Amino acid sequence: MNSFKAVRVTEQEDQVIYGLEDVDANQLSEGDVLIKVAYSSINYKDMLAVQKNAGVIRNYPMIPGIDLSGTVVESTDSRFTKGQEVIVTGFAMGMNHTGGFSEYARVPADWIVPMPDSFSLKDAMVFGTAGFTAALSILALEKSGMDVANNPQILVTGSTGGVGSIALQILSKIGYKNISALVRKEHQVEVAKSLGAATVIFAEELGDSKKPLGKTRFDFVLDTVGGDVASALIPQISYGGSMSMCGNAGGLQVNTTVLPFILRGVNLLGIDSVNVPIEKRGSIWEKMASDWNITETTLVNEISLEELTEAIEAIKNGQHLGRTIVNV
């Protein structure tokens, strides 16, 4: 195989730098299947991967990109054949295994999901890791009692980001009505409403996060940010309600008391999209490709590998809306 383009992150003295380079197959991590990458996408973790001491990449150089869709070029595993379209998200990809910001990727067969029949390579990355995480969050909340028939009050935090924007659309599509979106900036209001929010709330309206119990406002919360936002919301969840948690853009610490849990039976539902067993992934992707397919209405920005730096800086500076996919 001739050389091809990939984004590589390297460590030089006390800083981390990254950029587009010519690489070859010997610079890819080991795996059973070689994939010609069609699309990847930019997630919050991808932004962290190119920051110093962010804890995402520990061994340099590395090709980042925690998800991809593409076509099998070579396979030593009988489950996958040349020309087959596939999806890879999570596991160690883009962290300590070369990832999706590359024209080619080589991965273990046990990380690969066959492409659903009704999905295109582009559709798969409109969802990407963010959409997979949103789907896992909604499934967990429904398992905990959230039901369209009960007309619950639902709040989505980080509502115009990758996970939040897809969650809003899925919730709206499958019939939920009382959906509130949490935003920080005025220009996000109309965006959140266009994605399915009936009500928009500004972060400063959440009130004092130090109160052990507050007035109940939400039956279920799909939280994507953590930190002070999550801390303020836990005391406002109704009896028997639940909050799913999948992100830390707002901080790693959650400050609360035991009272919401022992007096109101509130549930915290941790969402991990990285190490979900491969045997559970296919049915979730099939659901996203059918009943939960919102790719036609998703707020999507499509860029090339050459434009990656600018898009990552937008996420870092809190200026990013919706989904950004990378046309590799």
Side-chain angles (χ1 to χ4, degrees):
M1 182 190 297
N2 296 326
S3 65
F4 51 90
K5 298 291 185 182
V7 172
R8 287 219 308 169
V9 186
T10 58
E11 190 174 38
Q12 294 186 1
E13 297 178 356
D14 62 342
Q15 50 183 329
V16 168
I17 61 172
Y18 67 102
L20 196 60
E21 299 180 15
D22 289 319
V23 301
D24 61 45
N26 292 326
Q27 292 166 286
L28 299 177
S29 297
E30 293 300 313
D32 311 299
V33 182
L34 181 67
I35 300 168
K36 181 173 176 56
V37 180
Y39 289 90
S40 185
S41 73
I42 302 180
N43 302 277
Y44 186 76
K45 187 180 285 185
D46 295 313
M47 182 277 291
L48 292 178
V50 298
Q51 311 303 317
K52 179 71 173 177
N53 297 325
V56 175
I57 294 175
R58 294 175 184 169
N59 299 303
Y60 299 92
M62 179 56 61
I63 298 172
I66 65 170
D67 56 20
L68 66 84
S69 63
T71 305
V72 174
V73 176
E74 300 173 0
S75 175
T76 59
D77 188 289
S78 61
R79 289 172 291 178
F80 301 100
T81 58
K82 184 177 180 179
Q84 183 177 3
E85 294 184 349
V86 293
I87 305 166
V88 187
T89 65
F91 296 107
M93 197 167 68
M95 299 171 64
N96 56 35
H97 189 104
T98 51
F101 295 163
S102 171
E103 292 183 323
Y104 289 88
R106 187 161 49 214
V107 299
D110 287 340
W111 294 2
I112 301 174
V113 175
M115 186 73 65
D117 291 340
S118 56
F119 246 17
S120 69
L121 292 165
K122 181 176 179 178
D123 290 339
M125 285 300 104
V126 170
F127 274 99
T129 291
F132 187 59
T133 306
L136 288 170
S137 300
I138 293 169
L139 288 169
L141 288 168
E142 291 195 327
K143 187 176 180 180
S144 189
M146 188 173 75
D147 192 313
V148 171
N150 296 331
N151 205 23
Q153 295 287 339
I154 303 169
L155 176 69
V156 177
T157 72
S159 60
T160 60
V163 178
S165 64
I166 292 180
L168 281 178
Q169 292 174 86
I170 294 175
L171 288 167
S172 178
K173 178 167 186 173
I174 61 181
Y176 291 100
K177 303 297 183 184
N178 296 322
I179 310 168
S180 297
L182 191 72
V183 302
R184 291 190 176 276
K185 300 173 183 177
E186 191 67 42
H187 73 270
Q188 296 172 324
V189 173
E190 288 307 314
V191 174
K193 288 182 177 179
S194 72
L195 295 170
T199 306
V200 176
I201 299 169
F202 283 90
E204 55 266 29
E205 297 174 34
L206 291 181
D208 185 2
S209 63
K210 296 179 181 179
K211 286 186 176 181
L213 285 175
K215 181 180 178 181
T216 57
R217 300 173 67 183
F218 310 106
D219 300 310
F220 298 94
V221 177
L222 193 155
D223 178 55
T224 71
V225 298
D228 290 342
V229 168
S231 301
L233 286 168
I234 291 169
Q236 301 181 44
I237 298 174
S238 302
Y239 187 90
S242 298
M243 173 191 284
S244 63
M245 303 184 74
C246 67
N248 63 357
L252 295 175
Q253 300 296 322
V254 174
N255 299 305
T256 188
T257 71
V258 300
L259 295 186
F261 309 106
I262 66 173
L263 297 182
R264 290 181 178 165
V266 169
N267 305 286
L268 284 187
L269 311 172
I271 304 300
D272 165 56
S273 63
V274 176
N275 293 305
V276 178
I278 192 65
E279 58 269 18
K280 294 184 178 180
R281 293 179 179 235
S283 61
I284 298 171
W285 281 101
E286 289 289 348
K287 184 178 284 289
M288 289 190 286
S290 54
D291 296 346
W292 289 11
N293 192 341
I294 44 75
T295 54
E296 292 298 319
T297 59
T298 301
L299 183 64
V300 181
N301 179 37
E302 185 173 327
I303 64 169
S304 65
L305 282 173
E306 288 81 2
E307 298 171 292
L308 198 65
T309 300
E310 184 178 346
I312 285 176
E313 286 301 306
I315 293 179
K316 183 179 179 181
N317 296 324
Q319 299 169 340
H320 184 255
L321 296 173
R323 293 286 289 143
T324 294
I325 63 173
V326 185
N327 187 334
V328 179

